[in-house]
Amino acid sequence: MASMTMIQAIRSALDVMLERDDNVVIFGQDVGFFGGVFRCTDGLQKKYGTSRVFDTPIAEGGIVGVAVGMAAYGLRPVAEIQFADYFYPAYDQLVSEAARVRYRSAGDFTAPITVRMPCGGGIYGGQTHSQSPEALLTHVCGLRTVMPSNPYDAKGLLIASIECDDPVIFLEPKRIYNGPFDGHHDKPVVPWTGVPQSEVPDGHYTVPLESAAIFRPGTALTVLTYGTMVWVAEAAVRETGIDAEIIDLRSLWPMDLDTVVDSVTKTGRCVIVHEATRTSGFGAELTALVQEHCFFHLEAPIERVTGWDTPYPHAQEWAYFPGPERVGAALRRVMETA
Amino acid sequence: MSQCSPLKLHVPEPTGRPGRETDFSYLNLSPAGAVRRPAIDTPPLATVDVADALVRVLDDDGHAVGPWDPKADPQLLVAGLRAMLKTRSFDARMVVAQRQKKISFYMQSLGEEAICIGQVLALEPDDMCFPTYRQQGILIARGYGLVDMMCQLLSNDRDPVKGRQMPVMYSSRRHGFFSVSGNLGTQYVQAVGWAMASAIKGDTRIASAWIGDGATAEADFHSALTFASVYRAPVILNIVNNQWAISSFQGIAGGEAATFAAHGVGNGIASLRVDGNDFLAVLATSRWAAERARCGFGPTLIEWVTYRGGAHSTSDDPSKYRPADDWQRFPLGDPVARLKLHLLATGALTDDQCTRMQQEVDEEVVAAQKEAESYGSLASGHVHDASTMFDDVYRDVPAHLVRQRAQQQA
């Protein structure tokens, strides 16, 4: 067992699957010889050859479209979209094709593809390198949307995604590629080394889809979150001293509702945290689900802490990012309600 | 000081409209037998002339002439004629069935039958087709059951796709027929992906992609050409230029300034422009493209010049936007009549045999319709149970759909 960054863990998952299954192929912009702009596929082309790991033209719709065709042939393609902000040209192929071909053909054709996309901000990427478009994906029936928060889960979830017979969108929060960022951007960068979740086995293992993790057990309230914001929520809990239970959803949709309902039923209070814009964001769905399933156990209104409903700004990044202060303030407000 | 007059937006307009005959000189036809046949391994840019001309084999008397004469086995041509007649008979009956409200919607392929049927006869049975909604001829030529097709159209409880799709959106992996999408052009780039997969696996199978002139404007078309060219994918990229995309003529899709085949050459793909109503030209050029793909020389784009003989769909009324007699005046004629003339001229068939073949296919279609209708229809309520709508969204039914199914069934 070695300590790995998210990048190393993702690369290890891809390596394991290329080794185990001849039908796994990896492609995307710059993923071949160069190994990806974030280095997630570094060395894989050299190890497995150009017909298993290769560069593509800059055409996201084409990348996902050929993945659907390869899946119809019988392959298990793993496509990389260089930034989630660039996936929109592929939306038709994801929504109308990958997500629906099993349904519309009554199982005659399927699309077991995995589409990896780095997402989220915190890197001064401005409005074209910072978005968290998960709600545009969780809204689509037939897709699975996954977002890990640490190296161990990243590898296990990515292997589970590649092995899954449904199309999976695998969102990688780029700010935590190299360390567990807690939102304190003015403090020194923390590496993954020494963080328990960075201990990653070399070989094959999975973290099951549709299973949430209780990241931090607690009794006072429930925080529902995922990705980078798991670490931000933990910082807010630490700084406020509120004994919150933090649930890392991991699989956004379909999701592990039981773990959520059990927790909110126990605590009676719920704060939902995500980096994406607020209106019609995934937090709205979580709010509705908690209201539908836990209403009579709630002792306070559900709060959402999210990015503002603006494009992700460049120079005002930290005013936009829902950091530990904003999360902490929400935790206090929810606790102050009688 | 510029001498230019003020700018004016150019919006292409067809030469013919209701009450005004079409001037078909824009088709720029070549005489039968006049266009050269390049070598199988010809470089893409060397096909620029054949992407601009029109490959034709059958002359006006039904004789096969020139370098593209496929010298086909007469029995293969007879089989092609039978599949075309069956497709046309099937279409005619289904248009009537829609008018009788037995089915909710239909799309016929009148006038375009030679293209996909001729190509299928040039392919191996396990080559994979990614069709549009107007290539039902592929299924018929590959022997998919007429009853199964009709059950799909009737949306009844024997519909192989369980009532999930509008009529004509067939799917049959076993017959190398990818699930038809209603979103235009998506299948084109998927076909390239399938072909890339075949090459990745060291297979010998090739893909056949289909699109209409209108949908070539979609981004997926252009991505398909880029990927096919870059990876030298073993795929035939078919463009059925039937002159009309619902009410907009092919100039609106970009066919005025250049042929559709020329799009291929510019992308580094060997390209041919072919008389799509000439069954022998379809067979010969499809064989050329299939051999080129299978030998590793890469993709071929073929523009098939034809005419949409019927309405776009049963929801469309073409008399509102094109001359009523346009198809009768279309200079490339009717593909069925032209192949029949050839088979009669060469003695491969007699008039009596033609008449008998027509009767046989009509009887087969009528019998299939009788059987399919006996299984009920959407109109009669004989559809797959509502609870099945929750299946196949995912491989396994997730918890939220288990709950929703229970709510729906309550």
Side-chain angles (χ1 to χ4, degrees):
Chain A
M1 196 105 94
S3 177
M4 292 190 195
T5 65
M6 284 270 271
I7 290 165
Q8 290 166 330
I10 287 163
R11 187 187 307 141
S12 175
L14 296 172
D15 192 359
V16 164
M17 290 311 295
L18 283 164
E19 181 74 45
R20 278 171 74 96
D21 185 349
D22 283 345
N23 288 324
V24 172
V25 291
I26 292 173
F27 49 91
Q29 295 157 26
D30 303 302
V31 307
F33 184 85
F34 180 54
V37 295
F38 290 105
R39 323 299 303 141
C40 288
T41 55
D42 190 24
L44 296 178
Q45 185 181 70
K46 192 171 181 196
K47 186 168 175 187
Y48 295 98
T50 54
S51 67
R52 303 282 307 281
V53 182
F54 54 90
D55 289 332
T56 61
I58 303 171
E60 290 77 10
I63 290 169
V64 176
V66 297
V68 172
M70 288 177 184
Y73 179 94
L75 301 189
R76 250 170 220 281
V78 183
E80 177 178 310
I81 302 293
Q82 198 160 80
F83 286 85
D85 314 65
Y86 303 159
F87 96 96
Y88 306 116
Y91 204 48
D92 190 32
Q93 285 287 346
L94 287 172
V95 175
S96 312
E97 301 296 316
R100 289 203 217 129
V101 72
R102 176 193 294 278
Y103 191 74
R104 75 177 196 224
S105 70
D108 198 25
F109 291 95
T110 60
I113 69 174
T114 303
V115 182
R116 297 177 39 242
M117 309 180 192
C119 69
I123 61 155
Y124 289 105
Q127 46 95 29
T128 53
H129 302 79
S130 306
Q131 295 167 57
S132 296
E134 66 269 18
L136 300 176
L137 298 156
T138 56
H139 189 60
V140 179
C141 48
L143 290 184
R144 292 180 178 275
T145 303
V146 172
M147 194 192 296
S149 69
N150 61 73
Y152 180 88
D153 283 357
K155 179 172 176 181
L157 286 168
L158 183 51
I159 290 175
S161 298
I162 296 170
E163 290 179 342
C164 179
D165 289 337
D166 302 316
V168 182
I169 309 297
F170 193 84
L171 291 164
E172 301 170 4
K174 66 179 88 70
R175 178 62 210 238
I176 56 172
Y177 267 150
N178 288 307
F181 177 63
D182 70 1
H184 288 293
H185 57 94
D186 45 357
K187 292 192 179 151
V189 170
V190 177
W192 279 111
T193 321
V195 178
Q197 290 92 340
S198 77
E199 291 296 314
V200 176
D202 283 332
H204 177 277
Y205 68 92
T206 60
V207 171
L209 304 182
E210 289 178 66
S211 80
I214 298 175
F215 183 80
R216 179 197 187 279
T219 56
L221 63 74
T222 300
V223 178
L224 302 181
T225 189
Y226 47 88
T228 304
M229 302 314 290
V230 170
W231 300 96
V232 175
E234 194 204 30
V237 167
R238 195 169 60 237
E239 288 154 19
T240 58
I242 293 170
D243 182 26
E245 181 148 286
I246 300 174
I247 295 185
D248 177 358
L249 293 173
R250 303 195 292 199
S251 287
L252 306 191
W253 203 259
M255 69 174 276
D256 175 3
L257 184 62
D258 291 346
T259 297
V260 171
V261 170
D262 287 351
S263 178
V264 177
T265 301
K266 179 179 75 178
T267 64
R269 295 169 202 266
C270 182
V271 173
I272 293 160
V273 184
H274 62 58
E275 191 180 340
T277 49
R278 184 178 187 87
T279 303
S280 299
F282 190 58
E285 183 59 41
L286 292 172
T287 306
L289 286 168
V290 170
Q291 192 277 142
E292 284 167 11
H293 292 270
C294 310
F295 181 77
F296 293 105
H297 298 275
L298 287 174
E299 292 169 32
I302 302 162
E303 279 241 20
R304 281 184 286 164
V305 185
T306 69
W308 308 116
D309 282 347
T310 71
Y312 214 117
H314 175 62
Q316 302 81 9
E317 174 152 51
W318 300 115
Y320 177 93
F321 186 88
E325 295 80 10
R326 278 170 61 197
V327 176
L331 298 181
R332 287 197 198 91
R333 276 196 303 275
V334 168
M335 288 313 295
E336 283 161 8
T337 306
Chain B
M1 187 75 176
S2 168
Q3 296 301 301
C4 299
S5 47
L7 291 166
K8 184 173 179 289
L9 182 69
H10 173 66
V11 180
E13 181 60 22
T15 58
R17 283 295 192 190
R20 188 175 78 236
E21 279 188 355
T22 300
D23 173 3
F24 283 110
S25 65
Y26 77 88
L27 290 173
N28 206 10
L29 306 180
S30 312
V35 178
R36 72 186 179 94
R37 183 182 187 280
I40 281 295
D41 61 350
T42 200
L45 288 182
T47 61
V48 67
D49 58 325
V50 280
D52 196 48
L54 191 74
V55 175
R56 304 175 70 188
V57 172
L58 290 170
D59 68 15
D60 292 344
D61 301 320
H63 296 296
V65 296
W68 284 98
D69 176 1
K71 306 205 184 329
D73 174 1
Q75 287 318 302
L76 184 75
L77 300 180
V78 170
L81 180 65
R82 179 179 287 274
M84 286 165 70
L85 289 173
K86 200 186 289 186
T87 302
R88 187 167 287 190
S89 178
F90 184 95
D91 279 350
R93 299 281 307 184
M94 294 303 102
V95 168
V96 172
Q98 192 280 333
R99 293 292 178 239
Q100 294 169 333
K101 300 191 189 314
K102 289 175 176 172
I103 59 178
S104 57
F105 175 82
Y106 193 68
M107 301 180 93
Q108 58 177 326
S109 60
L110 181 66
E112 304 175 24
E113 297 93 338
I115 302 167
C116 65
I117 291 170
Q119 178 148 119
V120 158
L121 295 188
L123 295 175
E124 297 296 325
D126 53 359
D127 289 334
M128 184 71 190
C129 299
F130 287 76
T132 78
Y133 44 65
R134 227 184 288 281
Q135 275 81 48
Q136 53 266 54
I138 293 172
L139 285 174
I140 288 174
R142 280 186 165 171
Y144 187 67
L146 300 186
V147 175
D148 285 337
M149 290 175 79
M150 288 172 178
C151 287
Q152 197 280 331
L153 300 172
L154 290 159
S155 310
N156 65 24
D157 58 15
R158 293 202 183 204
D159 171 3
V161 296
K162 299 186 177 174
R164 306 260 172 76
Q165 290 250 66
M166 282 173 75
V168 314
M169 309 288 183
Y170 312 103
S171 174
S172 181
R173 172 186 285 277
R174 207 159 61 80
H175 296 84
F177 189 95
F178 188 71
S179 162
V180 178
S181 178
N183 287 36
L184 299 189
T186 50
Q187 72 285 349
Y188 219 58
V189 68
Q190 293 163 357
V192 174
W194 194 99
M196 289 167 66
S198 183
I200 287 168
K201 299 301 278 187
D203 200 342
T204 59
R205 292 178 292 164
I206 66 171
S208 161
W210 295 85
I211 203 166
D213 48 293
T216 62
E218 292 281 5
D220 280 342
F221 169 80
H222 298 276
S223 292
L225 264 53
T226 304
F227 279 71
S229 171
V230 166
Y231 300 106
R232 216 174 288 168
V235 60
I236 305 175
L237 298 161
N238 299 285
I239 301 172
V240 180
N241 179 3
N242 68 10
Q243 315 303 316
W244 291 95
I246 307 189
S247 74
S248 59
F249 90 119
Q250 52 96 35
I252 292 291
E256 190 181 64
T259 67
F260 290 95
H263 289 58
V265 179
N267 277 277
I269 295 172
S271 301
L272 308 170
R273 184 168 177 262
V274 181
D275 178 350
N277 291 4
D278 177 337
F279 191 87
L280 272 67
V282 174
L283 187 67
T285 51
S286 293
R287 282 177 172 172
W288 188 89
E291 186 184 344
R292 181 176 170 85
R294 228 181 290 279
C295 291
F297 298 125
T300 301
L301 183 145
I302 309 178
E303 174 187 352
W304 306 104
V305 178
T306 185
Y307 192 89
R308 195 190 75 207
H312 165 69
S313 74
T314 50
S315 304
D316 174 42
D317 175 9
S319 73
K320 295 278 196 283
Y321 53 78
R322 69 184 192 188
D325 63 347
D326 228 22
W327 188 41
Q328 283 71 41
R329 295 187 57 261
F330 185 64
L332 297 176
D334 171 6
V336 171
R338 287 174 68 191
L339 179 57
K340 214 184 266 182
L341 180 65
H342 172 70
L343 292 171
L344 292 170
T346 57
L349 269 185
T350 63
D351 271 323
D352 282 352
Q353 285 171 317
C354 277
T355 309
R356 198 155 59 243
M357 189 188 288
Q358 183 71 56
Q359 283 169 353
E360 285 165 5
V361 300
D362 286 344
E363 284 165 13
E364 190 183 342
V365 170
V366 169
Q369 187 176 6
K370 198 172 167 199
E371 182 185 342
E373 287 180 4
S374 76
Y375 303 133
S377 67
L378 173 57
S380 74
H382 289 84
V383 299
H384 283 268
D385 188 82
S387 67
T388 64
M389 85 168 94
F390 299 96
D391 295 330
D392 300 322
V393 181
Y394 298 90
R395 192 195 68 179
D396 305 313
V397 182
H400 71 285
L401 289 180
V402 170
R403 286 194 299 275
Q404 289 178 24
R405 170 145 56 194
Q407 287 167 9
Q408 194 278 327
Q409 295 286 295

